[in-house]
Amino acid sequence: MKIALFIPCLVNQMMPDVAIATLELLEKLGHQVILPAGQTCCGQPMTNSGCFDAARSTTLKLLNAFKGVECDAIVCPAASCLVAAKENFHEFDNSPEAQAVINKLYELTEFLHDIAPIPAFNKPFAHKISLQLSCHGIRMLSLATPSEQMGPRFNKVEAVLANIAGIDIVYPDRRDECCGFGGTFAVDEGAVSAKMGKDKAQAHAATGAQYVVGFDPSCLLHLDGLIRRQQLPIEIRHIAQVLNAAL
Amino acid sequence: MAYQHNHEAMGSQVHAYKADIFCRDETRVDWHSKALWLLREKRDRAAGSLPEWEQLRQLGSEIKLHTLTNLAQYLETFEQNCLANGIKVHWAKDGAEHNRIVHEILASHKVKKLVKSKSMLTEECHLNPYLEQRGIEVIDTDLGERIIQLAKMPPSHIVVPAIHMKKEEVGDLFHDKLGTKAGESDPLYLTRAARAHLREQFLSADAAMTGVNMAIADKGAVVVCTNEGNADMGANLPKLQLHSMGIDKVVPDIDSAAVLLRTLARNATGQPVTTYSAFYRGPQVDGEMHVIIVDNGRTEMMKDKILAESLKCIRCGGCLNTCPVYRRSGGYSYNYTIPGPIGIAVGATHDNTNSIAWACTLCGSCTYVCPTKVPLDKIIHHHRRLKAEAGKLPYGKNAYMPLVGKFMASTTLLNCSMGAARTALRILPGSLLKPFSGAWGKYRELPVAPNSSFEAWFKKHRSL
Ligand code: SF4
């Protein structure tokens, strides 16, 4: 497939390794991968604060970067940015071109589970990992059944990782409780945000896992800051990095 | 008490400020968070034991939505059937009118003491101080309510109002107010003491008042749920009984009430049903029964399609128990009688600090917990937009958000300053977002900055 990468500003600027892993793993799977120019931010920091006016030009700039780009799918390794992009594109542009872009948007895990599954892994990843089920991915993108919901359960994140040889997947206590990042919440509500993150980091570390693995870079960055502040014996990894290492 | 003092001193400060104070006592935060999470776990077990749980939520949501859509008609039916059953019905447009009506009824019966069972609506209307100023003694009879009433505090949770108090603190309070042994904190001992004290109150009261969990239109009856039977003790002893309800409490019939009853207690505490779920459909022999139907901003709320959905709430408290922010910031940080996600949904409009709409990470757990599918995260997000459009943003957002907007929309600006920031091992660009970097770094280690952006890397490694 021909895939256009959607690399949100945070990943581009602060976690390029996550983007590189995404690119490499998609290429290893035989896809042709391009990076449309002119991407900045999905507008989430503004719209999450209620400031839709301030978000308009940013959002439209991102949308324009993808309009008319020839590809089968637009893949993003950041769940909450993906959700925000979808919603904000829709909010600010009702054109068929915008809808065409929205229809092609996929979060990486979602893409690898629903659209183009990984046929086989070549290398083992013999580590214990504690999965970080970030809120927007599970509750807004349905990557996994939220713990509040009853009835049949599914978990795309686990399903995508499960076939890697040697991998040991565990979950922290209160498995999908929010880590407290929440965009500007992290700074507006510093005390509560940090306490939530601290609790989450400790719950991950208490599993005895070597890595916290997640699909949302912003949550991982926040957890990383708290893990290192408390000097916990665990490290963050993005799901793309784990998958790439096993291919 | 230190607690009460804190609460008053904090006045109408922004949520983050009050939450920060609450967070300074980490042991208390951990204990508060755990106590409420225990309720969430019980709720999960109770909900999970019903194969039809998700269907019940869907039904609950539809029942409430249907009733709200045809509210005038159902309220009229309810009133007619109440009148036919010998119940007196009153309408109040706001809290002030509600209080005036209640006082008139009580005054005309020369009531000196009123026993009241838990009602968030009377809290919303600030009924207790109103009556007390007019010489009527009001006794809250739910154990938790009585505790906080003795401590002169408002409830910190809508179902377990004294959840923020430790048993030692209750022991001290009871020693002070009820004369129990000093230093005694055994829950059984304290409960017995409270029970004896409350019994005296029931026997000497002239009237009883309760909230209403559901009002059944086609029967002209009200449903009152308590775990301690205190509403029934109250309503059955004196001859005069009053029931206050918001217009949103009406449901079409007993079957719809049954659906909500099946989820209410399960979602609140994990019980299959509330211990005492009483249906009142007429006065006692020689007695009087009054129902006061209150609007207090609800009609206004219904004009906004998104906000209107918060009226589906049946006040189970489930969203508070699951909320990771509420559990770590406590009920008194919300500047509203009702805290937590539903408190933001129904209270943000009245919040003069304009901060409670931001006391949320938008994680969405509340929305999935809710037995009537109130889309709480959507409503909270919507409140932020309404506040922003009214120019009422907290935390300096009015000043910096437009700048962030400009900044993020400019590739050059973003690339240049992010490059500089990386070199300087700073998380965020220049002085523009200094406060951000400061608040981030106060609690966390700053990220290890990479050498280049992905875009630059891509140009180097993938371009021909
Ligand atoms: S909003 Fe839903 S979960 Fe929250 S108190 Fe109301 S009914 Fe319960």
Side-chain angles (χ1 to χ4, degrees):
Chain A
M1 284 171 102
K2 187 170 179 189
I3 295 170
L5 284 181
F6 162 23
I7 302 300
C9 50
L10 181 89
V11 177
N12 183 34
Q13 305 286 353
M14 296 310 298
M15 302 175 91
D17 289 352
V18 169
I20 296 171
T22 307
L23 169 77
E24 287 182 351
L25 94 91
L26 289 172
E27 285 178 341
K28 287 180 195 169
L29 292 169
H31 302 293
Q32 185 198 346
V33 188
I34 56 168
L35 181 69
Q39 304 182 31
T40 54
C41 162
C42 61
Q44 181 170 217
M46 294 76 107
T47 48
N48 260 13
S49 285
C51 305
F52 280 72
D53 271 351
R56 180 182 301 270
S57 57
T58 308
T59 305
L60 291 177
K61 185 171 168 59
L62 180 65
L63 175 58
N64 282 333
F66 292 112
K67 266 192 190 174
V69 168
E70 212 187 288
C71 64
D72 305 300
I74 302 168
V75 175
C76 173
S80 73
C81 305
L82 191 271
V83 175
K86 260 193 195 172
E87 286 174 0
N88 293 345
F89 289 171
H90 192 78
E91 171 74 31
F92 295 116
D93 188 343
N94 262 327
S95 67
E97 294 88 350
Q99 193 56 51
V101 172
I102 294 172
N103 292 345
K104 285 189 205 165
L105 285 172
Y106 294 99
E107 185 276 331
L108 177 66
T109 322
E110 184 185 31
F111 179 77
L112 295 175
H113 186 273
D114 299 353
I115 307 300
I118 301 171
F121 292 97
N122 309 321
K123 298 179 215 153
F125 189 84
H127 302 287
K128 186 168 175 178
I129 65 165
S130 181
L131 280 193
Q132 164 63 23
L133 297 176
S134 293
C135 308
H136 285 200
I138 61 163
R139 299 199 183 88
M140 278 126 230
L141 276 181
S142 301
L143 294 183
T145 324
S147 60
E148 302 87 19
Q149 193 176 313
M150 301 299 144
R153 318 224 132 233
F154 61 87
N155 187 335
K156 298 182 186 178
V157 196
E158 197 181 304
V160 168
L161 291 164
N163 292 329
I164 300 176
I167 202 163
D168 180 7
I169 301 172
V170 296
Y171 293 90
D173 245 12
R174 305 182 188 173
R175 58 155 47 195
D176 55 9
E177 186 184 32
C178 176
C179 72
F181 173 65
T184 55
F185 183 86
V187 292
D188 293 340
E189 292 263 0
V192 178
S193 169
K195 177 61 181 152
M196 288 165 72
K198 184 178 175 187
D199 290 354
K200 193 82 201 183
Q202 283 175 352
H204 278 300
T207 62
Q210 206 164 343
Y211 302 109
V212 180
V213 173
F215 46 77
D216 215 326
S218 43
C219 307
L220 292 174
L221 205 70
H222 161 74
L223 284 173
D224 176 56
L226 286 152
I227 287 170
R228 287 189 291 120
R229 177 62 60 98
Q230 299 172 80
Q231 302 182 320
L232 296 170
I234 194 163
E235 284 174 40
I236 56 153
R237 284 292 181 276
H238 189 274
I239 186 169
Q241 295 171 305
V242 175
L243 295 172
N244 191 39
L247 278 169
Chain B
M1 283 185 87
Y3 237 78
Q4 180 193 346
H5 174 74
N6 268 351
H7 177 64
E8 278 167 9
M10 288 192 288
S12 60
Q13 297 280 359
V14 290
H15 180 272
Y17 177 81
K18 292 190 190 176
D20 192 347
I21 293 175
F22 189 76
C23 277
R24 280 179 209 161
D25 184 350
E26 195 170 354
T27 325
R28 184 182 285 271
V29 175
D30 285 337
W31 163 81
H32 188 257
S33 175
K34 203 172 144 204
L36 291 156
W37 186 258
L38 225 66
L39 288 179
R40 160 73 206 273
E41 286 178 322
K42 282 189 187 163
R43 172 266 176 203
D44 287 352
R45 280 197 293 275
S49 69
L50 291 188
E52 68 275 31
W53 178 258
E54 293 300 329
Q55 269 165 287
L56 282 176
R57 285 180 72 224
Q58 185 58 30
L59 261 176
S61 170
E62 284 168 17
I63 289 166
K64 291 297 275 188
L65 217 52
H66 165 82
T67 324
L68 288 168
T69 319
N70 304 282
L71 194 57
Q73 174 210 323
Y74 282 115
L75 283 171
E76 255 170 56
T77 314
F78 174 67
E79 179 184 35
Q80 277 160 18
N81 290 324
C82 280
L83 294 175
N85 291 343
I87 301 168
K88 296 194 160 77
V89 180
H90 312 260
W91 300 86
K93 68 172 184 312
D94 55 20
E97 196 170 350
H98 165 262
N99 294 350
R100 194 169 46 70
I101 293 169
V102 172
H103 180 244
E104 270 168 25
I105 300 168
L106 298 178
S108 70
H109 286 80
K110 304 200 169 35
V111 170
K112 286 265 158 292
K113 186 189 276 189
L114 172 75
V115 281
K116 201 162 125 274
S117 95
K118 215 174 104 50
S119 147
M120 288 311 292
L121 178 62
T122 60
E123 285 290 337
E124 182 186 316
C125 299
H126 305 292
L127 176 70
N128 288 17
Y130 181 91
L131 292 180
E132 277 153 13
Q133 278 158 23
R134 283 154 187 79
I136 296 173
E137 194 185 352
V138 184
I139 309 287
D140 280 321
T141 57
D142 168 276
L143 179 57
E145 287 282 308
R146 187 62 185 145
I147 291 171
I148 55 163
Q149 190 183 30
L150 289 172
K152 296 197 168 41
M153 288 190 270
S156 78
H157 185 288
I158 62 176
V159 174
V160 277
I163 187 74
H164 61 287
M165 284 180 75
K166 297 193 171 174
K167 56 183 194 297
E168 292 75 19
E169 290 168 332
V170 177
D172 289 347
L173 178 72
F174 278 15
H175 171 63
D176 196 20
K177 306 278 180 178
L178 305 181
T180 53
K181 278 182 275 174
E184 187 63 75
S185 65
D186 173 40
L188 193 65
Y189 169 79
L190 294 176
T191 312
R192 285 207 175 121
R195 190 186 265 249
H197 158 75
L198 284 170
R199 197 156 288 260
E200 280 170 37
Q201 308 299 323
F202 280 123
L203 292 169
S204 55
D206 314 300
M209 179 161 197
T210 80
V212 169
N213 289 86
M214 286 137 220
I216 303 173
D218 76 341
K219 289 269 185 295
V222 296
V223 185
V224 182
C225 305
T226 65
N227 270 327
E228 296 157 24
N230 51 311
D232 311 298
M233 276 288 272
N236 288 312
L237 286 171
K239 294 279 182 205
L240 177 62
Q241 67 188 94
L242 287 72
H243 306 273
S244 280
M245 58 175 268
I247 53 170
D248 50 316
K249 292 293 169 187
V250 70
V251 293
D253 48 29
I254 210 138
D255 287 347
S256 32
V259 170
L260 301 177
L261 273 176
R262 290 192 72 197
T263 53
L264 177 66
R266 284 187 168 90
N267 219 54
T269 54
Q271 293 164 276
V273 73
T274 327
T275 316
Y276 301 91
S277 300
F279 293 60
Y280 295 99
R281 55 177 306 198
Q284 303 176 39
V285 184
D286 301 331
E288 262 182 41
M289 175 171 166
H290 296 259
V291 171
I292 305 117
I293 306 173
V294 188
D295 184 325
N296 205 28
R298 286 164 177 74
T299 309
E300 190 57 34
M301 203 162 223
M302 288 213 298
K303 289 182 189 157
D304 183 311
K305 247 192 142 173
I306 300 178
L307 300 188
E309 287 212 54
S310 53
L311 296 176
K312 293 195 295 183
C313 172
I314 56 171
R315 301 288 190 266
C316 70
C319 57
L320 279 66
N321 302 340
T322 200
C323 178
V325 176
Y326 168 80
R327 279 189 280 109
R328 290 172 182 84
S329 57
Y332 295 146
S333 56
Y334 286 80
N335 295 320
Y336 192 62
T337 322
I338 302 174
I342 184 61
I344 302 176
V346 299
T349 317
H350 318 286
D351 169 29
N352 56 5
T353 71
N354 300 313
S355 66
I356 62 171
W358 281 268
C360 168
T361 62
L362 301 177
C363 78
S365 179
C366 48
T367 298
Y368 278 88
V369 151
C370 180
T372 52
K373 296 195 173 182
V374 175
L376 290 152
D377 59 331
K378 227 207 237 162
I379 295 172
I380 293 168
H381 189 236
H382 184 58
H383 270 302
R384 294 183 185 179
R385 187 171 191 171
L386 294 176
K387 291 278 181 190
E389 280 165 5
K392 293 175 172 172
L393 291 169
Y395 310 123
K397 285 181 196 292
N398 261 335
Y400 79 79
M401 269 306 164
L403 294 177
V404 178
K406 280 212 188 75
F407 182 85
M408 294 291 209
S410 156
T411 322
T412 349
L413 262 182
L414 192 64
N415 276 335
C416 289
S417 50
M418 288 307 280
R422 271 194 309 269
T423 330
L425 284 179
R426 286 259 149 67
I427 169 182
L428 279 167
S431 57
L432 179 62
L433 293 182
K434 259 261 168 64
F436 189 93
S437 142
W440 179 277
K442 182 174 174 195
Y443 299 101
R444 313 160 184 86
E445 293 304 310
L446 296 179
V448 183
N451 295 325
S452 86
S453 73
F454 172 65
E455 228 178 337
W457 183 95
F458 190 88
K459 273 198 191 111
K460 220 193 270 146
H461 294 88
R462 286 295 184 275
S463 304
L464 298 173

